[in-house]
Amino acid sequence: EPPSEPRLVPRPAPEPRGCQTKANLPRGGKREILRILLTRISEGRQEVAFQEAWDTVLRREETFNSALGGGVALFHGRLPHLSKPALAFGRSAQGLEFGAADKKPVRIVFVLLTPLKEPGVHLSLLSRLAALSSDDALRRNLLRARNPAEVLDIFQAFDVSRLRVQKDPAQGKAEAQRPAAPSKSRSTAS
């Protein structure tokens, strides 16, 4: 019997690197923007049930405003069936009215979902994202990012730069730790 021809089996699309983006958010209220970004997450991650995420994030939003100030909003929630964090990022050129305490329109919106069983991860990621509201350069770079990979690269660069800032206990202030300059060694041929 002749060998059978190999069959091509379609592969599932690779899972996104963890961040869904929406480059240009339309004008809209909080619920509309949340719907858009949660839809992006649930379409990219099968384990994220849209309705469960929607209910969880809205329940939290009823208690605390997602607008952090500085043009940044951060919706978030913890889900019981999630295996790893999910993040959506959207931006608005015109700005969105989210009722921020500083009265500034929101231009950068995040939706962060984390596993219910990992509260430490949730708090750590919230802290890192909340640091946005005080970093003008980071916000400008995020507004210019062209794709999800650039958004993640910007966050990675931001995290690395934050790790270089260490508190000096003697002076009670933060000082930047500059990386050592590469040494210039010359080799001589004999």
Side-chain angles (χ1 to χ4, degrees):
E1 189 171 280
S4 63
E5 289 287 319
R7 291 180 24 203
L8 296 176
V9 178
R11 290 178 155 187
E15 185 173 87
R17 287 178 56 192
C19 181
Q20 299 292 316
T21 63
K22 176 69 174 156
N24 298 306
L25 292 170
R27 287 194 184 273
K30 285 183 184 184
R31 287 176 175 256
E32 177 64 14
I33 300 307
L34 179 59
R35 183 191 59 75
I36 290 167
L37 293 175
L38 279 179
T39 298
R40 300 221 25 124
I41 292 174
S42 64
E43 287 174 351
R45 297 274 299 271
Q46 292 180 350
E47 66 183 320
V48 176
F50 176 88
Q51 193 62 50
E52 178 183 40
W54 174 263
D55 293 343
T56 299
V57 173
L58 278 185
R59 209 172 16 256
R60 189 223 163 262
E61 186 65 24
E62 289 171 359
T63 308
F64 300 102
N65 190 346
S66 60
L68 302 176
V72 178
L74 172 56
F75 294 102
H76 60 94
R78 296 169 47 212
L79 303 176
H81 304 294
L82 198 59
S83 64
K84 60 185 177 181
L87 178 69
F89 164 78
R91 61 185 171 212
S92 168
Q94 72 276 1
L96 304 162
E97 180 50 50
F98 274 24
D102 65 3
K103 309 286 188 224
K104 291 184 179 179
V106 168
R107 297 187 65 208
I108 296 172
V109 182
F110 292 99
V111 176
L112 173 66
L113 303 174
T114 59
L116 182 63
K117 63 186 175 196
E118 297 182 34
V121 169
H122 187 78
L123 292 174
S124 173
L125 291 173
L126 274 179
S127 171
R128 289 163 65 189
L129 290 171
L132 274 174
S133 61
S134 62
D135 193 296
D136 293 333
L138 179 63
R139 289 192 311 261
R140 279 193 306 273
N141 286 335
L142 287 172
L143 288 169
R144 291 184 198 129
R146 295 173 294 199
N147 57 50
E150 282 188 12
V151 170
L152 292 174
D153 289 345
I154 291 165
F155 276 122
Q156 184 177 16
F158 176 70
D159 275 349
V160 167
S161 71
R162 283 185 63 212
L163 291 175
R164 290 189 185 134
V165 175
Q166 298 177 352
K167 184 142 178 156
D168 179 353
Q171 297 180 0
K173 64 179 183 179
E175 293 186 353
Q177 302 295 314
R178 289 183 171 64
S183 63
K184 295 181 181 179
S185 61
R186 295 183 184 190
S187 60
T188 55
S190 0

